[in-house]
Amino acid sequence: MGAKRQRIVDKGPSFYANSPGSSFMYNAPPNGYVSQPPPQFPVVRLRGLPFDCTETDVVEFFHGLDIVDVLFVHKGGKFSGEAFCVLGYPLQVDFALQKNRQNMGRRYVEVFRSKRQDYYKTIANEMSESCGSPRRNIPRAKSYDEGKDSAEHTGVLRLRGLPFSAGKDDIMEFFKDFVLSEDSIHITMNSEGRPTGEAFVEFANSEDSKAAMAKDRMTLGSRYIELFPTSVEELDEAVSRGR
């Protein structure tokens, strides 16, 4: 579990990735000399978040910025109202700080600079709290107790809580005990073409999708993933919205 954790910032539109729009990113000169220090890890800390805040709310709060990871901070098993947000590039930290004391819902949110070590220390704390019992101290979604276990299976599952940098290969690895193809995985996008943190997966049959529910609330990278039985109609609707 811990080994997969660091994938969040090692892939996707991140500080470490090669991107055509990242000409300002640090590159060591050919002669090996460094004329300036490497850029800082692009992470900010948020405080004062609504207690029903979701990853999507944080993405919308930082509208226009590249969000690589959102890590909510829990204390005693309860959401503390704080979170870390890893951005795509170091220069985006300054833009994120401009959102300091702006409102999310009825609450104003404080935005601070943070450090790589604080982010990773919080990851370790979050993971250690759930060690030995992956579901302990994780707030259940309301829909979890509303018939998820008894829902009819059609061979399609909806995934919620995906890292924004997650790709189809990551989802295939998550369900490595099942035969899946890239065509059977549908990562939903918002109107701007950015991942929503949700996806739909088509399994070979309803028996496989029911068996795959054993992965409900297990972790993919930094995220525990919620699984929901759903229908082909909901899948088609979600895919058409993202086009």
Side-chain angles (χ1 to χ4, degrees):
M1 182 183 298
K4 286 283 288 179
R5 184 60 186 78
Q6 64 183 11
R7 186 193 57 74
I8 298 304
V9 293
D10 288 342
K11 292 180 62 178
S14 79
F15 173 53
Y16 298 97
N18 293 322
S19 168
S22 60
S23 59
F24 52 81
M25 292 173 65
Y26 172 73
N27 289 296
N31 61 9
Y33 266 36
V34 178
S35 58
Q36 58 183 359
Q40 294 183 345
F41 185 73
V43 60
V44 294
R45 184 163 187 156
L46 294 82
R47 186 168 67 193
L49 293 167
F51 287 96
D52 60 351
C53 177
T54 66
E55 292 180 356
T56 300
D57 295 326
V58 176
V59 172
E60 292 177 354
F61 183 72
F62 288 124
H63 177 78
L65 301 182
D66 297 300
I67 307 302
V68 177
D69 190 21
V70 178
L71 176 68
F72 292 114
V73 180
H74 296 81
K75 294 180 180 178
K78 297 181 179 180
F79 177 44
S80 66
E82 297 188 9
F84 288 87
C85 183
V86 180
L87 302 160
Y89 312 108
L91 288 184
Q92 290 188 341
V93 170
D94 290 330
F95 290 102
L97 293 174
Q98 293 177 17
K99 300 289 289 185
N100 184 40
R101 302 184 73 83
Q102 293 194 22
N103 278 36
M104 180 185 293
R106 296 183 177 181
R107 302 183 63 130
Y108 73 83
V109 177
E110 296 178 277
V111 183
F112 307 90
R113 292 185 186 274
S114 191
K115 298 179 180 179
R116 180 202 302 261
Q117 55 264 41
D118 294 333
Y119 168 67
Y120 280 110
K121 181 179 179 181
T122 302
I123 290 172
N125 291 339
E126 293 288 312
M127 299 300 285
S128 65
E129 280 196 13
S130 61
C131 183
S133 178
R135 302 185 183 189
R136 184 171 65 88
N137 292 337
I138 297 176
R140 292 179 181 269
K142 291 181 180 178
S143 57
Y144 186 88
D145 293 318
E146 294 175 358
K148 181 189 285 192
D149 292 334
S150 60
E152 179 183 359
H153 279 266
T154 64
V156 181
L157 294 183
R158 176 167 66 92
L159 286 66
R160 185 170 70 186
L162 289 168
F164 295 113
S165 58
K168 292 186 177 184
D169 57 332
D170 300 305
I171 295 174
M172 292 176 71
E173 175 64 20
F174 185 71
F175 291 118
K176 62 184 178 181
D177 295 329
F178 301 89
V179 178
L180 296 175
S181 68
E182 288 196 0
D183 292 339
S184 66
I185 299 172
H186 310 272
I187 298 175
T188 61
M189 304 289 179
N190 61 20
S191 59
E192 296 181 339
R194 298 176 184 273
T196 63
E198 295 193 359
F200 290 79
V201 177
E202 298 178 90
F203 290 84
N205 50 56
S206 59
E207 288 76 16
D208 279 1
S209 68
K210 191 171 184 177
M213 286 297 295
K215 302 285 290 183
D216 185 35
R217 303 181 79 81
M218 291 190 178
T219 55
L220 192 162
S222 66
R223 295 279 166 256
Y224 65 89
I225 308 301
E226 291 186 279
L227 305 180
F228 302 88
T230 188
S231 64
V232 176
E233 290 76 19
E234 186 178 354
L235 163 62
D236 291 339
E237 181 181 351
V239 171
S240 64
R241 282 199 306 266
R243 288 174 180 161

